[in-house]
Amino acid sequence: MANRQQTIYLDNAATTMVALEVCEAMLPFLGESYGNSTTLYHLGSAAQQAAETARQQVAGLLGAEKEEEIYFTSGGTESDNWAIISSVLGQKKRHLVISSIEHHAVLETCEDLAKLGLEIDFTALPVDVEGRVNPEELRRALRPDTALVSIMHANNEIGTVEPIRELAEIAHEQGVLFHTDAVQTAGKIPVDVKELGVDMLSLSGHKFHAPKGTGALYLRKGTRLNAFMHGGGHERNRRSGTVNIPGVVGLGKAAELAGEWLESEMPRLKQLTEKLWTGIAAAIPQVTRNSPVEGSLPGMLNVTVAGAEGEAMLMYLDMHHGICISSGSACTTGSLDPSHVLLAIGVPAETAHGSLRFSMSHYTTEAEIDTTIAAMSVEIEKVRAMSPTWDG
Amino acid sequence: MANRQQTIYLDNAATTMVALEVCEAMLPFLGESYGNSTTLYHLGSAAQQAAETARQQVAGLLGAEKEEEIYFTSGGTESDNWAIISSVLGQKKRHLVISSIEHHAVLETCEDLAKLGLEIDFTALPVDVEGRVNPEELRRALRPDTALVSIMHANNEIGTVEPIRELAEIAHEQGVLFHTDAVQTAGKIPVDVKELGVDMLSLSGHKFHAPKGTGALYLRKGTRLNAFMHGGGHERNRRSGTVNIPGVVGLGKAAELAGEWLESEMPRLKQLTEKLWTGIAAAIPQVTRNSPVEGSLPGMLNVTVAGAEGEAMLMYLDMHHGICISSGSACTTGSLDPSHVLLAIGVPAETAHGSLRFSMSHYTTEAEIDTTIAAMSVEIEKVRAMSPTWDG
Amino acid sequence: MYSDKVMEHFENPRNIGEVENPDGTGNVGNPVCGDVMKVTIRVEDGRLAEIKCKTLGCGAAIATSSITTEMAMGMTLDEAMALTRDDIAQALGGLPSNKMHCSNLAVDGLHEAIADYRSHNS
Amino acid sequence: MYSDKVMEHFENPRNIGEVENPDGTGNVGNPVCGDVMKVTIRVEDGRLAEIKCKTLGCGAAIATSSITTEMAMGMTLDEAMALTRDDIAQALGGLPSNKMHCSNLAVDGLHEAIADYRSHNS
Ligand SMILES: Cc1ncc(COP(=O)(O)O)c(C=O)c1O
Ligand SMILES: Cc1ncc(COP(=O)(O)O)c(C=O)c1O
Ligand code: FES
Ligand code: FES
């Protein structure tokens, strides 16, 4: 369409490019090395060794004490579903505490479970204007029948990092298990399961340059959790299903790379984020920043643009500039559904429809940010010129 | 190890090589085309189109009326778990009927559910000496509270094909849903969901030259089934989790290839199977065939060798000849656990420990079968010479 | 996701803006729902001589505003009143099922503008 | 899965067979469980002068039979009686945890053969 010569990919919180090194590491397992990790013959042992190396790489990224604490899954959604469902299904304690800005993989799981008539219910904690959970709210929400607290490490729409260590301590004081969805943080900021003090942690490979359909659940040694996927007893009987060897190898390699990149990437992405924000704010009137300035993921910026609608903006940015970003509303049958996260931090629905999320990666360049700022001011002017609610 | 110069891979019922064509189809999606199938911008639409093409390819292989009846999963285990768990969890009817020779993905799921205290129970139907379910047994097992019948299309250890059409009809007469685990048949023998008359069907990509970690559940239009994986609402709200685009593309391509190969491969593999059997039976005394001669998967042969143990045989075959096969017992803590399938068809435990499964593919050659026959007679003689229970 | 026709109208939306001293005005939608449209018309000899639209909304909203103004131009008021959301969606080569409500909006806005005109002129 | 040492013994198992006119015989295991061993010994001057083993069993069973006979050769009967399954597993560079029961079996067979010898010679 139109004159798109380039792609400026700023939707890395949605999914990322597979790193070249990752793809290369996977290729043998899409070729000659096709053995099954549970079999005895030579092809099988190559697969098994590759899976164990990957397990070490992931354990290394998370500072896990033992690599056996890492269980491979098909992604962040599965890891979240597993942690939540198995914590309450058929258990005596059936109350869950989450935050109101969790990803759908947590939120919908709780809602769907509650609807199934299994006598499961949950409390969704409010957040402040920056999207942060107040530890005192958690303390008040805990009940004698609370089985699990699940609060995300960082939010996927605005980037707010939650005080996990403090929250986990409060849960543990009451003997309640703590899970965190670290899908947005693993590989991006330090994630140390011991420092965080969590019992379970979800991650997803495709958020840090591994392929889609890969993920893991960290399960602290000694933590009891039923299987979610039953069958041949793979992953020490906790996650059955033939192990996705190429995927797992890619996940391991990506974890290794992310660990190497992390320290230099964090300040670089933080700087690019501030550059993007100041650039936009200087060029375009009535833009609001939804991502906190402090305690937020480097490389993520969520803004709302008054008098403009998200989808239209992102489509013009794509068509005319090859810029790939996300907007904060999704079209459901009947009307636009504004992001539950933006509503939770107090953004009014009418403004929330005009929100955009930029999310960067290792591959994002300063030149791309410059282009994006320029493109934004052009396209937003156009969209606003069409708008009946804008008379700038 | 030793002087292994070749690999003769005869464990295709465990997993298969990724076809070159499949790997090639996937590569763009491990490279440039890394978009998310649910996003609006240009990278996203390429992913979405690729996923929809794959859905058509899989629907084509299964003779599904509409491609929307295909839901992508992370493999056969997930498809089986989904069909079973969602049929009874939180539902009024909580009784399941399966066969006693189901794969662990079905069997263990039922057992684990029953143990969870959710008031779910199941009946495992016996099979005859060939491993076949008697439709009359199903009729007797159905109860007013039966929610689902799940019987595999073909068994993964001995290859017996079940009379699915007849069994599904009996279930439907009583208004009970019918699921079949077609993991071993999809891509190997004709699988037509309309002819079989099933409501749900599981398949797994890595059994027919797609990569590990791919699979699908066919769900007949109009069939109600809750989600198993909850979250962002992917796959028309039925299977959340970022779609594994490279995997799905590979699955689609493999389905297309399998459809093309099927007609010529069936007689070829049937002939190779008979050749292998007659060769072994002629060269080695006291070998018994466990796979039926008629109504069995072409390319699969299960035998028991008196006075020999499976693991030892398969390890020598691997070390000295590069032959990869499976044995019928698994080592659990404490002793060898003989295959539940062999026990169900009446093989005594002591004999079951000496069982081997050969399973072929499109890539299996006649020369490999010749080599295998020769290798078998050498290695079995050695193993028997060590055995205190053999005095041939 | 969108048809080529939708994309073409989205890329080059026709008749954006407001008719000066309009004969009728329709305001539909609601900022809370994310879509707002203002349709203004000029009527000459019982026909729509000018139609303009201002739109806050998604790609579908913009494309349907554009094609609706284009289709209705020159129609008699009765003809324009007979336009349905299906006519619009069809002219666009179809719309994704979850985007159908926006095809409603433009037609509604036009109908409201005509009703407004008629309320002054009958 | 198996250590190199296990593989090496599995590849070239030592002392397979039966001692002719043995001084003691041990039969352990059960075909139903998948492992059967027959250990035969010849004793000279209170020491194990010959040990042979026949084994039906998995890779671990074959490797442990082999290394057990090798280790015990030349030992006094008391020394051989003091051999434990951990000694065997350790000498093999470890065994997978679900394979530990086979390391038991060979030692048990040897001990039974010695007990058999002693029952005739005391
Ligand atoms: C915070 C968070 N949790 C969970 C998920 C789901 O992970 P996946 O896409 O691997 O299913 C995502 C991304 O989609 C996410 O951002
Ligand atoms: C009959 C049958 N069902 C289910 C499965 C599980 O499928 P997957 O390996 O994709 O998890 C297998 C293979 O392992 C199988 O043979
Ligand atoms: S907002 Fe336009 S169709 Fe939903
Ligand atoms: S059969 Fe030998 S260790 Fe299990």
Side-chain angles (χ1 to χ4, degrees):
Chain A
M1 269 152 258
N3 50 340
R4 191 193 315 118
Q5 289 111 348
Q6 57 181 359
T7 292
I8 296 183
Y9 187 73
L10 294 173
D11 202 16
N12 291 282
T15 196
T16 60
M17 191 177 90
V18 175
L20 200 63
E21 298 90 326
V22 167
C23 187
E24 271 168 10
M26 292 171 65
L27 281 180
F29 299 93
L30 291 170
E32 294 267 286
S33 248
Y34 54 88
N36 199 325
S37 57
T38 55
T39 42
L40 272 166
Y41 43 75
H42 65 286
L43 275 182
S45 20
Q48 204 192 339
Q49 273 164 31
E52 294 320 311
T53 303
R55 209 183 297 283
Q56 283 163 20
Q57 288 165 322
V58 174
L61 182 68
L62 302 180
E65 197 152 331
K66 298 179 185 290
E67 61 247 29
E68 302 96 70
E69 295 174 322
I70 306 300
Y71 296 87
F72 294 123
T73 67
S74 67
T77 297
E78 183 188 332
S79 298
D80 284 345
N81 273 256
W82 179 10
I84 290 169
I85 294 178
S86 291
S87 294
V88 289
L89 197 66
Q91 305 299 312
K92 287 211 190 81
K93 295 180 174 184
R94 299 194 187 165
H95 176 242
L96 295 153
V97 180
I98 63 172
S99 83
S100 51
I101 60 166
E102 293 301 312
H103 186 266
H104 288 291
V106 169
L107 203 56
E108 294 283 319
T109 301
C110 291
E111 281 177 0
D112 289 357
L113 275 179
K115 269 187 242 152
L116 268 181
L118 299 164
E119 288 168 44
I120 287 165
D121 74 330
F122 71 98
T123 306
L125 302 176
V127 293
D128 67 16
V129 290
E130 292 207 321
R132 226 161 256 116
V133 171
N134 179 343
E136 286 315 306
E137 297 272 4
L138 172 58
R139 206 184 290 279
R140 274 196 291 277
L142 290 173
R143 306 193 320 211
D145 65 335
T146 304
L148 181 76
V149 176
S150 177
I151 292 173
M152 66 201 321
H153 192 192
N155 180 267
N156 51 300
E157 294 189 28
I158 54 176
T160 310
V161 178
E162 301 295 339
I164 297 302
R165 190 197 169 99
E166 210 177 329
L167 296 165
E169 263 170 25
I170 292 171
H172 288 156
E173 277 166 22
Q174 309 295 321
V176 177
L177 286 179
F178 195 95
H179 166 254
T180 190
D181 174 341
V183 166
Q184 288 294 336
T185 52
K188 314 245 188 78
I189 59 171
V191 175
D192 185 303
V193 287
K194 277 184 289 184
E195 263 181 36
L196 292 174
V198 297
D199 304 297
M200 303 178 225
L201 179 146
S202 299
L203 62 79
S204 173
H206 74 101
K207 306 289 187 182
F208 58 95
H209 309 297
K212 295 171 185 54
T214 64
L217 184 69
Y218 159 83
L219 190 60
R220 202 217 316 231
K221 193 127 192 158
T223 309
R224 284 198 192 188
L225 193 72
N226 285 334
F228 172 56
M229 218 99 95
H230 314 264
H234 308 77
E235 299 288 288
R236 280 141 294 137
N237 235 331
R238 277 215 159 110
R239 201 284 190 181
S240 289
T242 298
V243 179
N244 174 359
I245 298 292
V248 152
V249 166
L251 179 66
K253 185 69 194 174
E256 187 186 291
L257 290 174
E260 287 167 14
W261 292 342
L262 198 104
E263 223 177 300
S264 57
E265 281 299 300
M266 283 200 303
R268 191 181 77 89
L269 292 176
K270 173 80 186 148
Q271 186 257 319
L272 288 184
T273 308
E274 294 314 319
K275 180 182 175 121
L276 177 61
W277 168 243
T278 35
I280 290 175
I284 307 164
Q286 293 204 42
V287 181
T288 319
R289 176 175 183 152
N290 299 315
S291 301
V293 178
E294 297 298 331
S296 182
L297 281 179
M300 185 176 301
L301 180 70
N302 189 305
V303 298
T304 48
V305 180
E309 191 274 340
E311 184 190 299
M313 290 188 281
L314 83 80
M315 284 175 66
Y316 285 125
L317 286 166
D318 178 36
M319 287 169 85
H320 301 140
H321 313 272
I323 297 174
C324 301
I325 56 173
S326 276
S327 73
S329 300
C331 202
T332 53
T333 39
S335 75
L336 278 179
D337 219 6
S339 144
H340 68 289
V341 175
L342 296 179
L343 296 183
I345 62 169
V347 177
E350 52 266 52
T351 321
H353 294 305
S355 75
L356 296 173
R357 178 189 67 184
F358 302 85
S359 50
M360 310 172 192
S361 82
H362 180 67
Y363 301 103
T364 305
T365 65
E366 184 144 7
E368 289 177 330
I369 299 302
D370 289 328
T371 309
T372 302
I373 296 166
M376 280 283 284
S377 58
V378 173
E379 297 303 332
I380 285 171
E381 196 165 323
K382 269 196 247 168
V383 170
R384 280 176 169 172
M386 281 193 249
S387 169
T389 65
W390 180 257
D391 24 47
Chain B
M1 271 152 256
N3 50 341
R4 190 195 315 121
Q5 287 112 348
Q6 58 181 359
T7 293
I8 296 183
Y9 187 73
L10 294 173
D11 201 16
N12 290 283
T15 196
T16 60
M17 190 177 93
V18 175
L20 200 63
E21 297 91 326
V22 167
C23 188
E24 273 168 10
M26 293 171 65
L27 281 181
F29 300 93
L30 291 170
E32 292 267 285
S33 248
Y34 54 88
N36 200 324
S37 57
T38 55
T39 41
L40 272 167
Y41 42 75
H42 65 285
L43 275 181
S45 22
Q48 203 192 341
Q49 272 164 32
E52 294 320 312
T53 303
R55 207 183 299 282
Q56 284 163 18
Q57 288 164 322
V58 174
L61 182 68
L62 301 181
E65 197 153 330
K66 298 181 185 291
E67 61 247 29
E68 302 95 69
E69 294 174 322
I70 306 299
Y71 295 87
F72 294 124
T73 67
S74 68
T77 297
E78 183 187 331
S79 298
D80 284 345
N81 273 255
W82 179 10
I84 290 169
I85 294 178
S86 291
S87 293
V88 290
L89 196 67
Q91 304 300 311
K92 288 212 188 80
K93 296 180 173 184
R94 299 194 186 166
H95 176 243
L96 295 154
V97 180
I98 63 172
S99 83
S100 50
I101 60 166
E102 292 301 312
H103 186 267
H104 288 292
V106 168
L107 204 55
E108 294 284 319
T109 302
C110 290
E111 282 176 0
D112 289 357
L113 274 179
K115 269 187 241 150
L116 268 180
L118 298 165
E119 289 168 42
I120 287 166
D121 73 330
F122 71 98
T123 306
L125 302 176
V127 293
D128 67 17
V129 290
E130 292 206 323
R132 226 161 256 116
V133 171
N134 178 343
E136 287 314 307
E137 296 273 2
L138 171 59
R139 206 184 290 280
R140 274 196 292 277
L142 290 173
R143 306 191 322 210
D145 66 335
T146 304
L148 181 76
V149 176
S150 177
I151 293 173
M152 66 201 320
H153 193 192
N155 180 267
N156 52 302
E157 294 189 27
I158 54 176
T160 310
V161 178
E162 301 294 341
I164 297 302
R165 189 197 170 100
E166 209 177 331
L167 296 165
E169 261 170 26
I170 292 170
H172 288 156
E173 277 166 21
Q174 308 296 320
V176 177
L177 285 179
F178 196 95
H179 167 254
T180 190
D181 174 340
V183 167
Q184 289 294 335
T185 52
K188 316 249 186 75
I189 60 171
V191 176
D192 185 303
V193 287
K194 277 183 289 183
E195 263 181 36
L196 293 174
V198 297
D199 304 298
M200 302 178 225
L201 179 146
S202 299
L203 62 79
S204 174
H206 75 102
K207 306 288 187 183
F208 58 95
H209 309 297
K212 295 171 185 52
T214 64
L217 184 69
Y218 158 83
L219 189 60
R220 200 209 328 220
K221 193 128 193 154
T223 309
R224 284 199 192 188
L225 192 72
N226 285 334
F228 172 56
M229 218 99 95
H230 313 265
H234 308 78
E235 299 288 288
R236 280 141 294 138
N237 236 331
R238 277 215 159 109
R239 200 286 188 180
S240 288
T242 298
V243 179
N244 174 358
I245 298 292
V248 153
V249 166
L251 179 65
K253 186 69 193 175
E256 186 186 292
L257 289 174
E260 286 167 14
W261 292 342
L262 198 104
E263 222 176 302
S264 57
E265 281 298 298
M266 283 201 301
R268 191 182 77 88
L269 292 176
K270 173 81 186 149
Q271 186 257 319
L272 288 184
T273 308
E274 294 315 317
K275 179 179 177 127
L276 177 61
W277 168 243
T278 36
I280 290 174
I284 308 164
Q286 292 205 43
V287 181
T288 318
R289 174 176 184 151
N290 299 315
S291 300
V293 178
E294 297 297 333
S296 182
L297 280 180
M300 184 175 303
L301 180 69
N302 188 306
V303 298
T304 48
V305 180
E309 191 273 340
E311 183 189 299
M313 290 189 280
L314 83 82
M315 283 174 66
Y316 285 125
L317 285 166
D318 178 36
M319 288 169 84
H320 301 140
H321 312 272
I323 296 175
C324 302
I325 56 173
S326 276
S327 73
S329 300
C331 203
T332 52
T333 39
S335 74
L336 277 179
D337 217 7
S339 144
H340 68 289
V341 175
L342 296 178
L343 296 183
I345 62 169
V347 177
E350 52 266 54
T351 321
H353 293 306
S355 75
L356 296 173
R357 178 188 68 184
F358 302 86
S359 50
M360 310 172 192
S361 82
H362 179 68
Y363 301 102
T364 306
T365 65
E366 184 144 9
E368 289 177 330
I369 299 303
D370 288 328
T371 310
T372 302
I373 296 166
M376 280 284 284
S377 57
V378 173
E379 298 303 332
I380 286 171
E381 197 164 321
K382 270 197 247 169
V383 171
R384 281 175 169 171
M386 282 194 249
S387 168
T389 65
W390 180 258
D391 24 47
Chain C
M1 186 176 86
Y2 287 128
S3 70
D4 290 348
K5 191 88 187 177
V6 172
M7 293 306 280
E8 197 265 308
H9 274 272
F10 176 72
E11 169 99 65
N12 305 297
R14 336 290 198 244
N15 307 310
I16 290 176
E18 296 189 34
V19 173
E20 257 175 84
N21 303 317
D23 297 326
T25 302
N27 284 300
V28 288
N30 183 335
V32 175
C33 305
D35 313 276
V36 187
M37 264 178 223
K38 180 176 186 180
V39 181
T40 44
I41 54 173
R42 188 161 58 78
V43 181
E44 238 170 58
D45 303 332
R47 290 189 180 265
L48 291 166
E50 197 176 352
I51 316 174
K52 293 232 158 168
C53 187
K54 280 205 142 188
T55 307
L56 169 75
C58 69
I62 291 171
T64 52
S65 317
S66 169
I67 203 163
T68 303
T69 56
E70 201 177 61
M71 285 170 73
M73 192 74 78
M75 279 187 176
T76 66
L77 299 190
D78 285 347
E79 281 166 358
M81 287 304 282
L83 276 178
T84 66
R85 96 191 202 170
D86 284 345
D87 296 334
I88 305 302
Q90 220 178 309
L92 283 170
L95 278 170
S97 60
N98 60 341
K99 290 283 180 181
M100 288 301 286
H101 66 107
C102 272
S103 60
N104 249 348
L105 218 58
V107 181
D108 289 357
L110 176 64
H111 292 176
E112 210 176 291
I114 295 174
D116 178 46
Y117 165 79
R118 284 180 167 164
S119 73
H120 303 307
N121 298 277
S122 56
Chain D
M1 187 174 87
Y2 287 129
S3 70
D4 289 349
K5 191 89 187 172
V6 171
M7 292 306 279
E8 197 266 308
H9 274 271
F10 176 72
E11 169 99 66
N12 304 298
R14 336 291 198 240
N15 306 311
I16 289 176
E18 295 189 34
V19 173
E20 258 175 83
N21 304 318
D23 297 326
T25 302
N27 284 300
V28 288
N30 183 335
V32 175
C33 303
D35 314 274
V36 188
M37 263 178 223
K38 180 177 189 181
V39 182
T40 46
I41 54 173
R42 189 161 57 77
V43 180
E44 238 170 57
D45 302 331
R47 290 189 179 264
L48 291 165
E50 197 176 353
I51 317 174
K52 294 233 158 169
C53 187
K54 280 204 142 187
T55 307
L56 168 75
C58 69
I62 290 171
T64 52
S65 316
S66 169
I67 203 161
T68 304
T69 57
E70 202 178 61
M71 284 169 73
M73 192 72 78
M75 279 187 175
T76 66
L77 299 189
D78 285 347
E79 282 166 357
M81 288 304 282
L83 276 177
T84 66
R85 96 190 200 170
D86 283 345
D87 296 334
I88 304 302
Q90 220 179 307
L92 283 171
L95 277 169
S97 60
N98 60 341
K99 290 283 180 180
M100 289 302 286
H101 65 108
C102 271
S103 60
N104 248 350
L105 218 59
V107 182
D108 289 357
L110 176 65
H111 292 175
E112 208 175 293
I114 295 173
D116 178 48
Y117 165 79
R118 283 179 167 165
S119 73
H120 304 307
N121 299 277
S122 56

